[in-house]
Amino acid sequence: MSSSTELTEKKVFLLKSLDGVIFEVEESVAVQLEVIRELIEGDCARPFISLYNVTSEILALVIEYCKHHAETCSGGTSATIADEDLKTFDNEFMNVDENILLELCSAADYLDIKSLFELTCRTLASLIKDRTIIEVRKMFNVENDFSVVEEKAVRKEFAWAFK
Amino acid sequence: MSDEGFLMNLPSHIILDILSRLPAQSILTCKLVCKKWLRVISTPEFANLHLFRSPPGLVVFIHESGGAEFCRLFEFNDDAFDHDLHYDPEIKFELSASLGISSGATVQVGSINGLVCLRNFYRKYDALYVCNPITREYVALPVLDWLFEFPSQVTYGFGLSIISGQYKVVRIFHECVLDPTTGTILSIPKYECHVYTLGTGSWRSIEGVPFAYNCRSVGLFFNGNLHWVIQDLEGSELISCFDVEKESFQPFPFPFPGERHKRALHSLGVVSDCLCLCDNTSDSEIVIWVMKEYGVKKSWIKEFVISKMPDFAGTSYEMVYALKVFENGDILMSWEDYYLFFYRNQSKTLQQVEVVPNNSIQTMLHVPSLFSLKNFTENNLYTYCRRNP
C-alpha cells in the first residue's frame, strides 16, 4: 500500500445488530452515533461493535440516515441548499410504517443520535395529534389499565377536552 | 423479547419527549391512554418541557355586539408562506358564564406561561381573575373596596418575578384633576400601587410610588419588568418600568424614541425577543422601534416603517400593537380592539385578518400550557368543566 492511498483511505468500523448482521460503516457515519463515538475514542471499537437493542432492519435505516446526513454536511454545497436537501430527505425518510417509526425512535435514543431522535419524536407527535384515545393505544400497543372508576375520575377532571 | 413487548416498554423519557411536543389539548386526551402516560404527563418536568416547546399563539377575547364575551386560543404557522391563524373549536368558552361574572366588560391584563390575567369592570367596580384556558381553572382575586370614577385612572400589569418565580398582579391608581375647559390633567393629588402575589390571598400596598402620570395602556411584561407608556403632566411620553422581583419602579432609559404628539398612540410589545414600541401617530405610516439591547438607550432602532394603504390611512385615534414578526418578515399586528392585520413583507401590503367578523376583539400573545393553578394555595380557586353548547 503506497503512502498516498494510506492518507486517503477511510477508516471503517463494523456494527453488529441484535440478529447478528454485520454492517460496515465509515468513521464519518459511525461518529454520528454518540454511543459509538465514545467507544471509538475509548479504543473499544474492535473487532466489531455489538448493538444488542437494534435489529438489522432498523440498523440499516439508521445507517442510511447517518450516511446521508454525513455526506450532505461535508458535500461542499451551501448551507441553505444542504438544509433544504436534508429537510426533503428527512420528510421522505419519515414516510414509513408506524411500528418502524417507533423502533427508529427507540434506536435513536439508544444509539444517542440527537437529530434522528428529535425527528422521530416530532413525527410521532404529529401522528398522535388528531387521534382518538383508542387509536393512540393501538398505535403504541398499550393497554388501557385504568379501572372504570379511575377512568371516570380522569374524564371528570377534563370533561370538555375528551371528544 | 418480542417487538411488541419492546414497544410496550417504551421508556418514560421517550414518552415524555414525544408527548411534550403535542398541543396542550391533545395532551389532555393522552392522559387517558394508560396509567404510565398519565404519570408521565403529571410530572412537573413534563409541564416545564411542554411549556418550553409550546409555540406562542394568541389568546383572543371576542366581544360580540349582543354583549356576550368569548375566549378563544389561536395558533399560527411560522412557515415561509403560510401564517394562517387557526383555532380548536373545543377551546372556546363564554367568559362571564364560566367565571361567574354577572355584568360589565372583560379585558385582558396579561398572559404569562399559559396563565391569563383578566379584569372585569362594571361602573365603578373592578374584579380580577387569573385563568388557564387549557386546564379551565381560574382564581378570583380578592376584591377590595376600590372604586374609581372618571377622571381617575386605574391600570394593571401581570408579571413573573424571575428569581422567586412568583406571579404578581400590579394595580396602579391615580386620582386626577382635570382642567374644566381643556380636559387635560392639571394635577394628580393621589396615587397608589398595590401588588397581589398569586397564592398569598391578599393585596399589599407598595410605598413610594414615583408614578403619577397619565396612562391608557396595560403593563407589558418583558425581561422581568412590567412596562407602561405614560405621559407626564406636560404631555411628554416616557416608559415607566416596574421590577416585578424587587417590586420597585426603575428609571427607564430616555429619550422616548417616538415623536412627540398630542395623540399619544404608542404601544409596547415584544418582537424577536426585543422590547418594541409601535407608533401609530402618523396618518400615512406605522413605525416600529426596536430596543436591540434591553435597557440601552442608544440601541433603539427604527426597525420597520410601514406605509398605510388607503384603507388604513388618515387620522387615527387607535393604538396599533405589534404581535409577531415572522421569519419571512411578515408582521402580525392588531389595530386596537378592532381587528388583526398582516404586513406582508414581500408585497409591502397590509391585509386584514378575519377572525370573527363584526365583533370587537382583544388579542395578546399566549403560550398554551398545562400549568395548574392548583400549584398555588388559593381559597378562590374554581374550575369550569361545562362544555360549551
PDB file of all heavy atoms in Angstrom, chain B residues 71-91:
ATOM      1  N   CYS B  71     -63.752  33.608  24.944  1.00  0.00           N
ATOM      2  CA  CYS B  71     -62.296  33.489  24.907  1.00  0.00           C
ATOM      3  C   CYS B  71     -61.954  32.358  23.945  1.00  0.00           C
ATOM      4  O   CYS B  71     -62.567  31.291  23.981  1.00  0.00           O
ATOM      5  CB  CYS B  71     -61.774  33.162  26.297  1.00  0.00           C
ATOM      6  SG  CYS B  71     -60.020  32.817  26.339  1.00  0.00           S
ATOM      7  N   ARG B  72     -60.982  32.617  23.080  1.00  0.00           N
ATOM      8  CA  ARG B  72     -60.534  31.586  22.136  1.00  0.00           C
ATOM      9  C   ARG B  72     -59.022  31.614  22.036  1.00  0.00           C
ATOM     10  O   ARG B  72     -58.413  32.669  22.169  1.00  0.00           O
ATOM     11  CB  ARG B  72     -61.072  31.900  20.745  1.00  0.00           C
ATOM     12  CG  ARG B  72     -62.197  31.031  20.350  1.00  0.00           C
ATOM     13  CD  ARG B  72     -62.569  31.321  18.921  1.00  0.00           C
ATOM     14  NE  ARG B  72     -63.909  30.832  18.689  1.00  0.00           N
ATOM     15  CZ  ARG B  72     -64.533  30.900  17.529  1.00  0.00           C
ATOM     16  NH1 ARG B  72     -63.936  31.454  16.497  1.00  0.00           N
ATOM     17  NH2 ARG B  72     -65.733  30.428  17.391  1.00  0.00           N
ATOM     18  N   LEU B  73     -58.449  30.443  21.781  1.00  0.00           N
ATOM     19  CA  LEU B  73     -56.998  30.389  21.573  1.00  0.00           C
ATOM     20  C   LEU B  73     -56.707  30.117  20.102  1.00  0.00           C
ATOM     21  O   LEU B  73     -57.335  29.249  19.499  1.00  0.00           O
ATOM     22  CB  LEU B  73     -56.372  29.287  22.420  1.00  0.00           C
ATOM     23  CG  LEU B  73     -56.552  29.374  23.934  1.00  0.00           C
ATOM     24  CD1 LEU B  73     -55.738  28.286  24.618  1.00  0.00           C
ATOM     25  CD2 LEU B  73     -56.135  30.736  24.465  1.00  0.00           C
ATOM     26  N   PHE B  74     -55.771  30.857  19.548  1.00  0.00           N
ATOM     27  CA  PHE B  74     -55.381  30.664  18.155  1.00  0.00           C
ATOM     28  C   PHE B  74     -53.933  30.211  18.074  1.00  0.00           C
ATOM     29  O   PHE B  74     -53.100  30.596  18.887  1.00  0.00           O
ATOM     30  CB  PHE B  74     -55.517  31.977  17.371  1.00  0.00           C
ATOM     31  CG  PHE B  74     -56.940  32.315  17.027  1.00  0.00           C
ATOM     32  CD1 PHE B  74     -57.786  32.859  17.973  1.00  0.00           C
ATOM     33  CD2 PHE B  74     -57.414  32.077  15.754  1.00  0.00           C
ATOM     34  CE1 PHE B  74     -59.102  33.167  17.658  1.00  0.00           C
ATOM     35  CE2 PHE B  74     -58.731  32.375  15.436  1.00  0.00           C
ATOM     36  CZ  PHE B  74     -59.575  32.923  16.393  1.00  0.00           C
ATOM     37  N   GLU B  75     -53.670  29.401  17.053  1.00  0.00           N
ATOM     38  CA  GLU B  75     -52.278  29.047  16.752  1.00  0.00           C
ATOM     39  C   GLU B  75     -51.959  29.630  15.389  1.00  0.00           C
ATOM     40  O   GLU B  75     -52.851  29.834  14.579  1.00  0.00           O
ATOM     41  CB  GLU B  75     -52.128  27.522  16.611  1.00  0.00           C
ATOM     42  CG  GLU B  75     -52.424  26.732  17.841  1.00  0.00           C
ATOM     43  CD  GLU B  75     -52.502  25.232  17.524  1.00  0.00           C
ATOM     44  OE1 GLU B  75     -52.025  24.806  16.469  1.00  0.00           O
ATOM     45  OE2 GLU B  75     -53.076  24.522  18.356  1.00  0.00           O
ATOM     46  N   PHE B  76     -50.691  29.878  15.129  1.00  0.00           N
ATOM     47  CA  PHE B  76     -50.340  30.210  13.748  1.00  0.00           C
ATOM     48  C   PHE B  76     -49.097  29.466  13.312  1.00  0.00           C
ATOM     49  O   PHE B  76     -48.255  29.084  14.111  1.00  0.00           O
ATOM     50  CB  PHE B  76     -50.176  31.705  13.500  1.00  0.00           C
ATOM     51  CG  PHE B  76     -49.606  32.495  14.636  1.00  0.00           C
ATOM     52  CD1 PHE B  76     -48.308  32.277  15.077  1.00  0.00           C
ATOM     53  CD2 PHE B  76     -50.367  33.468  15.248  1.00  0.00           C
ATOM     54  CE1 PHE B  76     -47.787  33.022  16.109  1.00  0.00           C
ATOM     55  CE2 PHE B  76     -49.842  34.205  16.294  1.00  0.00           C
ATOM     56  CZ  PHE B  76     -48.559  33.987  16.724  1.00  0.00           C
ATOM     57  N   ASN B  77     -49.021  29.250  12.014  1.00  0.00           N
ATOM     58  CA  ASN B  77     -47.851  28.580  11.440  1.00  0.00           C
ATOM     59  C   ASN B  77     -46.765  29.613  11.248  1.00  0.00           C
ATOM     60  O   ASN B  77     -47.041  30.759  10.967  1.00  0.00           O
ATOM     61  CB  ASN B  77     -48.184  28.011  10.061  1.00  0.00           C
ATOM     62  CG  ASN B  77     -49.273  26.984  10.135  1.00  0.00           C
ATOM     63  OD1 ASN B  77     -49.393  26.292  11.136  1.00  0.00           O
ATOM     64  ND2 ASN B  77     -50.079  26.902   9.103  1.00  0.00           N
ATOM     65  N   ASP B  78     -45.520  29.178  11.373  1.00  0.00           N
ATOM     66  CA  ASP B  78     -44.428  30.091  11.055  1.00  0.00           C
ATOM     67  C   ASP B  78     -43.700  29.601   9.802  1.00  0.00           C
ATOM     68  O   ASP B  78     -42.496  29.650   9.704  1.00  0.00           O
ATOM     69  CB  ASP B  78     -43.466  30.240  12.239  1.00  0.00           C
ATOM     70  CG  ASP B  78     -42.585  31.479  12.096  1.00  0.00           C
ATOM     71  OD1 ASP B  78     -42.699  32.163  11.060  1.00  0.00           O
ATOM     72  OD2 ASP B  78     -41.792  31.761  13.002  1.00  0.00           O
ATOM     73  N   ASP B  79     -44.476  29.100   8.844  1.00  0.00           N
ATOM     74  CA  ASP B  79     -43.882  28.709   7.564  1.00  0.00           C
ATOM     75  C   ASP B  79     -43.535  29.963   6.779  1.00  0.00           C
ATOM     76  O   ASP B  79     -44.000  31.043   7.092  1.00  0.00           O
ATOM     77  CB  ASP B  79     -44.891  27.905   6.715  1.00  0.00           C
ATOM     78  CG  ASP B  79     -45.181  26.570   7.346  1.00  0.00           C
ATOM     79  OD1 ASP B  79     -44.519  26.255   8.349  1.00  0.00           O
ATOM     80  OD2 ASP B  79     -46.062  25.861   6.849  1.00  0.00           O
ATOM     81  N   ALA B  80     -42.755  29.769   5.734  1.00  0.00           N
ATOM     82  CA  ALA B  80     -42.350  30.917   4.930  1.00  0.00           C
ATOM     83  C   ALA B  80     -43.549  31.591   4.259  1.00  0.00           C
ATOM     84  O   ALA B  80     -43.573  32.791   4.069  1.00  0.00           O
ATOM     85  CB  ALA B  80     -41.341  30.479   3.888  1.00  0.00           C
ATOM     86  N   PHE B  81     -44.563  30.812   3.899  1.00  0.00           N
ATOM     87  CA  PHE B  81     -45.646  31.394   3.114  1.00  0.00           C
ATOM     88  C   PHE B  81     -46.970  31.453   3.852  1.00  0.00           C
ATOM     89  O   PHE B  81     -47.852  32.184   3.466  1.00  0.00           O
ATOM     90  CB  PHE B  81     -45.840  30.568   1.833  1.00  0.00           C
ATOM     91  CG  PHE B  81     -44.565  30.385   1.074  1.00  0.00           C
ATOM     92  CD1 PHE B  81     -43.897  29.178   1.096  1.00  0.00           C
ATOM     93  CD2 PHE B  81     -44.012  31.456   0.377  1.00  0.00           C
ATOM     94  CE1 PHE B  81     -42.700  29.014   0.422  1.00  0.00           C
ATOM     95  CE2 PHE B  81     -42.813  31.297  -0.297  1.00  0.00           C
ATOM     96  CZ  PHE B  81     -42.146  30.084  -0.280  1.00  0.00           C
ATOM     97  N   ASP B  82     -47.080  30.680   4.868  1.00  0.00           N
ATOM     98  CA  ASP B  82     -48.400  30.489   5.433  1.00  0.00           C
ATOM     99  C   ASP B  82     -48.392  30.759   6.935  1.00  0.00           C
ATOM    100  O   ASP B  82     -47.725  30.063   7.695  1.00  0.00           O
ATOM    101  CB  ASP B  82     -48.806  29.017   5.163  1.00  0.00           C
ATOM    102  CG  ASP B  82     -50.115  28.666   5.820  1.00  0.00           C
ATOM    103  OD1 ASP B  82     -50.892  29.594   6.095  1.00  0.00           O
ATOM    104  OD2 ASP B  82     -50.345  27.471   6.067  1.00  0.00           O
ATOM    105  N   HIS B  83     -49.082  31.796   7.360  1.00  0.00           N
ATOM    106  CA  HIS B  83     -49.200  32.031   8.804  1.00  0.00           C
ATOM    107  C   HIS B  83     -50.651  31.938   9.233  1.00  0.00           C
ATOM    108  O   HIS B  83     -51.080  32.622  10.137  1.00  0.00           O
ATOM    109  CB  HIS B  83     -48.699  33.419   9.186  1.00  0.00           C
ATOM    110  CG  HIS B  83     -47.433  33.811   8.529  1.00  0.00           C
ATOM    111  ND1 HIS B  83     -46.321  33.044   8.575  1.00  0.00           N
ATOM    112  CD2 HIS B  83     -47.112  34.918   7.831  1.00  0.00           C
ATOM    113  CE1 HIS B  83     -45.357  33.651   7.916  1.00  0.00           C
ATOM    114  NE2 HIS B  83     -45.800  34.774   7.444  1.00  0.00           N
ATOM    115  N   ASP B  84     -51.419  31.146   8.522  1.00  0.00           N
ATOM    116  CA  ASP B  84     -52.849  31.121   8.799  1.00  0.00           C
ATOM    117  C   ASP B  84     -53.150  30.928  10.278  1.00  0.00           C
ATOM    118  O   ASP B  84     -52.583  30.063  10.930  1.00  0.00           O
ATOM    119  CB  ASP B  84     -53.513  29.994   8.008  1.00  0.00           C
ATOM    120  CG  ASP B  84     -53.698  30.394   6.566  1.00  0.00           C
ATOM    121  OD1 ASP B  84     -53.512  31.601   6.292  1.00  0.00           O
ATOM    122  OD2 ASP B  84     -54.000  29.532   5.742  1.00  0.00           O
ATOM    123  N   LEU B  85     -54.045  31.731  10.754  1.00  0.00           N
ATOM    124  CA  LEU B  85     -54.474  31.589  12.140  1.00  0.00           C
ATOM    125  C   LEU B  85     -55.553  30.519  12.183  1.00  0.00           C
ATOM    126  O   LEU B  85     -56.449  30.509  11.363  1.00  0.00           O
ATOM    127  CB  LEU B  85     -55.077  32.906  12.628  1.00  0.00           C
ATOM    128  CG  LEU B  85     -54.120  34.086  12.712  1.00  0.00           C
ATOM    129  CD1 LEU B  85     -54.901  35.360  12.978  1.00  0.00           C
ATOM    130  CD2 LEU B  85     -53.105  33.864  13.797  1.00  0.00           C
ATOM    131  N   HIS B  86     -55.421  29.600  13.108  1.00  0.00           N
ATOM    132  CA  HIS B  86     -56.477  28.611  13.237  1.00  0.00           C
ATOM    133  C   HIS B  86     -56.716  28.320  14.713  1.00  0.00           C
ATOM    134  O   HIS B  86     -55.852  28.558  15.546  1.00  0.00           O
ATOM    135  CB  HIS B  86     -56.146  27.336  12.470  1.00  0.00           C
ATOM    136  CG  HIS B  86     -54.769  26.837  12.726  1.00  0.00           C
ATOM    137  ND1 HIS B  86     -53.677  27.253  12.013  1.00  0.00           N
ATOM    138  CD2 HIS B  86     -54.286  25.988  13.658  1.00  0.00           C
ATOM    139  CE1 HIS B  86     -52.592  26.667  12.473  1.00  0.00           C
ATOM    140  NE2 HIS B  86     -52.927  25.902  13.478  1.00  0.00           N
ATOM    141  N   TYR B  87     -57.862  27.789  15.004  1.00  0.00           N
ATOM    142  CA  TYR B  87     -58.186  27.546  16.404  1.00  0.00           C
ATOM    143  C   TYR B  87     -58.888  26.220  16.559  1.00  0.00           C
ATOM    144  O   TYR B  87     -59.448  25.678  15.614  1.00  0.00           O
ATOM    145  CB  TYR B  87     -59.053  28.669  16.966  1.00  0.00           C
ATOM    146  CG  TYR B  87     -60.414  28.756  16.330  1.00  0.00           C
ATOM    147  CD1 TYR B  87     -61.512  28.097  16.880  1.00  0.00           C
ATOM    148  CD2 TYR B  87     -60.605  29.489  15.167  1.00  0.00           C
ATOM    149  CE1 TYR B  87     -62.762  28.163  16.288  1.00  0.00           C
ATOM    150  CE2 TYR B  87     -61.839  29.558  14.562  1.00  0.00           C
ATOM    151  CZ  TYR B  87     -62.908  28.899  15.123  1.00  0.00           C
ATOM    152  OH  TYR B  87     -64.124  28.953  14.529  1.00  0.00           O
ATOM    153  N   ASP B  88     -58.829  25.689  17.766  1.00  0.00           N
ATOM    154  CA  ASP B  88     -59.533  24.464  18.100  1.00  0.00           C
ATOM    155  C   ASP B  88     -60.888  24.869  18.670  1.00  0.00           C
ATOM    156  O   ASP B  88     -60.949  25.547  19.692  1.00  0.00           O
ATOM    157  CB  ASP B  88     -58.711  23.696  19.144  1.00  0.00           C
ATOM    158  CG  ASP B  88     -59.340  22.356  19.479  1.00  0.00           C
ATOM    159  OD1 ASP B  88     -60.575  22.242  19.352  1.00  0.00           O
ATOM    160  OD2 ASP B  88     -58.595  21.452  19.865  1.00  0.00           O
ATOM    161  N   PRO B  89     -61.976  24.476  18.003  1.00  0.00           N
ATOM    162  CA  PRO B  89     -63.288  24.930  18.476  1.00  0.00           C
ATOM    163  C   PRO B  89     -63.611  24.479  19.898  1.00  0.00           C
ATOM    164  O   PRO B  89     -64.445  25.070  20.572  1.00  0.00           O
ATOM    165  CB  PRO B  89     -64.269  24.328  17.467  1.00  0.00           C
ATOM    166  CG  PRO B  89     -63.504  23.330  16.689  1.00  0.00           C
ATOM    167  CD  PRO B  89     -62.054  23.669  16.797  1.00  0.00           C
ATOM    168  N   GLU B  90     -62.913  23.432  20.366  1.00  0.00           N
ATOM    169  CA  GLU B  90     -63.172  22.959  21.733  1.00  0.00           C
ATOM    170  C   GLU B  90     -62.694  23.994  22.764  1.00  0.00           C
ATOM    171  O   GLU B  90     -63.178  24.037  23.883  1.00  0.00           O
ATOM    172  CB  GLU B  90     -62.444  21.640  21.985  1.00  0.00           C
ATOM    173  CG  GLU B  90     -63.001  20.458  21.211  1.00  0.00           C
ATOM    174  CD  GLU B  90     -64.385  20.061  21.690  1.00  0.00           C
ATOM    175  OE1 GLU B  90     -64.612  20.068  22.900  1.00  0.00           O
ATOM    176  OE2 GLU B  90     -65.230  19.747  20.833  1.00  0.00           O
ATOM    177  N   ILE B  91     -61.677  24.763  22.370  1.00  0.00           N
ATOM    178  CA  ILE B  91     -61.140  25.722  23.335  1.00  0.00           C
ATOM    179  C   ILE B  91     -61.773  27.071  23.111  1.00  0.00           C
ATOM    180  O   ILE B  91     -61.150  28.017  22.668  1.00  0.00           O
ATOM    181  CB  ILE B  91     -59.616  25.794  23.258  1.00  0.00           C
ATOM    182  CG1 ILE B  91     -59.067  24.396  23.359  1.00  0.00           C
ATOM    183  CG2 ILE B  91     -59.046  26.652  24.387  1.00  0.00           C
ATOM    184  CD1 ILE B  91     -57.621  24.294  23.546  1.00  0.00           C
TER     185      ILE B  91
END
